[in-house]
Amino acid sequence: AVQVEKEQKNNKTGKMEKKKVDEFSFKFVPITPKKQAVEVISLPEFDKEHQIELFFTDKTEKPEPLSNTVKLKKNGDFFMMPEAEEIAKVAENVPVKATAQPSNPRKVLVYTMTLGFPHDSIPLGAKTILLLGQKTGAWQTLISNDRYMFEPDTLAQFDVVMMMETTGSLFGDPDKTINERLRKSLLDFVQGGKGIAGSHAATDCSYDWKEYGAMMGGYFAGHPFGKIKVRNDDPKSPVNAAFKGEGFDIQDEMYTFKDPYSREKQRILLSIDISGLPDDPEKPGFKKGENRQDHDYAISWIREEGKGRVFYCSFGHQHQVWWNPAILQHYLDGMQYSLGDLKADAKASVK
């Protein structure tokens, strides 16, 4: 599937530009794989040096690396890419009903561009947001890495932007005036009454754009923790309903945050219970600049930004998190809060 590009007039410059639109072209290639074989798909769009090789195997070990190889592993009567196998696990566990009935048809832009470290869980996370909206009917989704989706007229069609593990400095255009225009567009979008959500590395992003850090609620400081106990900071919040008023254990790459993070600026939903963890400056494992002197390690939060709403959750580095039923429900409810359909108290945790 290829996202279609069409010539469109830029209302600011008057020039015609190619932009990706909410339309896809599909090509189906019939093949009959053997039990274990390599099949080469020849497409007229590619030259001979850029054909696609599919490696079909019913074994668990990795195949010998081939050029342009896509590995497909046998799963029952089907051969599946590992990514497809993971997406199937997500599909089995996503909620089937929205927590709140959408007041209007909703549309979400999942932005996946990385200009820094690229997390390999981004495609899975993006597809998860799509499936959450699709299965529950809570929203429609467009997944894109096109910065020009943030042009004001284009962005206006959406209700929420999900920053899916974006890293680097937004928006990466060599023309600074374009960057500034797109940045202003996003701020105006949220502050004017729409929403923004962020997953994992959405806070490891745009350190040079202080308004972004303030809007998201903090910047990444480090990830000194892995297997943790989670504290339920707001058991009565509908965004935390999945956890039934309790904390829980989980393993992921757990972020810590630096300024402008503060409990005085947002409502903390979940945080790391540091009991039993090396969080004393006098003990091994305490990393200056990553660990905090106040021992406050939030995981997810909500906040208001102007007339708009913000939801952030740092879960999402490790793939298995994306098919955890409780985490899926948490993301669904956080997204519905950012859409304005699920009402929740967003007053700061500390006055």
Side-chain angles (χ1 to χ4, degrees), residues 151-180:
E151 291 284 7
D153 291 345
T154 305
L155 193 59
Q157 67 184 290
F158 299 101
D159 299 287
V160 160
V161 175
M162 160 56 84
M163 308 299 281
M164 182 52 67
E165 307 192 49
T166 48
T167 55
S169 182
L170 297 167
F171 281 91
D173 197 291
D175 187 332
K176 290 185 179 180
T177 60
I178 294 178
N179 269 338
E180 291 305 313

Side-chain angles (χ1 to χ4, degrees), residues 91-204:
E92 290 171 1
N93 289 288
V94 293
V96 296
K97 184 179 179 181
T99 304
Q101 184 65 31
S103 57
N104 293 295
R106 302 298 193 182
K107 193 170 183 181
V108 171
L109 170 64
V110 178
Y111 189 58
T112 59
M113 174 59 74
T114 56
L115 299 167
F117 179 80
H119 285 75
D120 63 12
S121 56
I122 290 173
L124 181 61
K127 185 67 174 180
T128 299
I129 299 301
L130 185 150
L131 286 170
L132 282 170
Q134 190 177 71
K135 286 267 189 170
T136 62
W139 63 80
Q140 292 183 324
T141 306
L142 174 64
I143 300 170
S144 178
N145 63 1
D146 182 0
R147 66 172 71 95
Y148 295 108
M149 297 300 295
F150 289 86
E151 291 284 7
D153 291 345
T154 305
L155 193 59
Q157 67 184 290
F158 299 101
D159 299 287
V160 160
V161 175
M162 160 56 84
M163 308 299 281
M164 182 52 67
E165 307 192 49
T166 48
T167 55
S169 182
L170 297 167
F171 281 91
D173 197 291
D175 187 332
K176 290 185 179 180
T177 60
I178 294 178
N179 269 338
E180 291 305 313
R181 183 173 76 239
L182 300 180
R183 288 181 172 190
K184 183 179 185 302
S185 174
L186 178 57
L187 288 176
D188 290 347
F189 173 85
V190 179
Q191 293 172 354
K194 298 293 184 75
I196 188 169
S199 175
H200 197 54
T203 49
D204 186 16

Side-chain angles (χ1 to χ4, degrees), residues 220-232:
F220 164 82
H223 43 68
F225 305 122
K227 189 174 183 179
I228 61 158
K229 290 183 179 297
V230 177
R231 177 188 292 112
N232 190 330

Side-chain angles (χ1 to χ4, degrees), residues 27-278:
K27 182 174 288 293
F28 298 90
V29 182
I31 53 175
T32 306
K34 300 176 183 178
K35 184 177 181 182
Q36 183 168 326
V38 174
E39 298 279 348
V40 178
I41 296 179
S42 297
L43 301 177
E45 291 87 348
F46 298 142
D47 58 36
K48 290 183 179 179
E49 294 181 356
H50 294 86
Q51 301 306 311
I52 300 174
E53 294 178 332
L54 301 180
F55 187 98
F56 294 90
T57 177
D58 59 356
K59 297 182 178 180
T60 56
E61 64 265 22
K62 295 180 180 179
E64 290 296 318
L66 302 167
S67 62
N68 306 310
T69 299
V70 177
K71 179 186 173 186
L72 293 95
K73 190 171 69 175
K74 199 168 191 298
N75 186 339
D77 295 330
F78 299 94
F79 286 91
M80 302 174 67
M81 289 189 293
E83 292 84 357
E85 193 172 14
E86 291 182 342
I87 290 168
K89 292 179 182 178
V90 174
E92 290 171 1
N93 289 288
V94 293
V96 296
K97 184 179 179 181
T99 304
Q101 184 65 31
S103 57
N104 293 295
R106 302 298 193 182
K107 193 170 183 181
V108 171
L109 170 64
V110 178
Y111 189 58
T112 59
M113 174 59 74
T114 56
L115 299 167
F117 179 80
H119 285 75
D120 63 12
S121 56
I122 290 173
L124 181 61
K127 185 67 174 180
T128 299
I129 299 301
L130 185 150
L131 286 170
L132 282 170
Q134 190 177 71
K135 286 267 189 170
T136 62
W139 63 80
Q140 292 183 324
T141 306
L142 174 64
I143 300 170
S144 178
N145 63 1
D146 182 0
R147 66 172 71 95
Y148 295 108
M149 297 300 295
F150 289 86
E151 291 284 7
D153 291 345
T154 305
L155 193 59
Q157 67 184 290
F158 299 101
D159 299 287
V160 160
V161 175
M162 160 56 84
M163 308 299 281
M164 182 52 67
E165 307 192 49
T166 48
T167 55
S169 182
L170 297 167
F171 281 91
D173 197 291
D175 187 332
K176 290 185 179 180
T177 60
I178 294 178
N179 269 338
E180 291 305 313
R181 183 173 76 239
L182 300 180
R183 288 181 172 190
K184 183 179 185 302
S185 174
L186 178 57
L187 288 176
D188 290 347
F189 173 85
V190 179
Q191 293 172 354
K194 298 293 184 75
I196 188 169
S199 175
H200 197 54
T203 49
D204 186 16
C205 180
S206 291
Y207 296 94
D208 62 330
W209 181 18
K210 299 307 179 185
E211 293 85 355
Y212 176 83
M215 177 171 65
M216 290 306 299
Y219 281 121
F220 164 82
H223 43 68
F225 305 122
K227 189 174 183 179
I228 61 158
K229 290 183 179 297
V230 177
R231 177 188 292 112
N232 190 330
D233 286 79
D234 195 356
K236 294 183 179 180
S237 173
V239 187
N240 274 351
F243 310 118
K244 303 184 186 332
E246 304 292 333
F248 55 97
D249 296 341
I250 197 169
Q251 179 154 347
D252 199 0
E253 180 185 78
M254 301 310 305
Y255 277 11
T256 62
F257 301 96
K258 58 186 178 183
D259 288 344
Y261 168 78
S262 170
R263 285 181 178 250
E264 296 178 357
K265 299 175 181 176
Q266 54 235 36
R267 192 171 192 88
I268 306 304
L269 301 173
L270 303 173
S271 64
I272 299 174
D273 180 349
I274 62 167
S275 58
L277 291 174

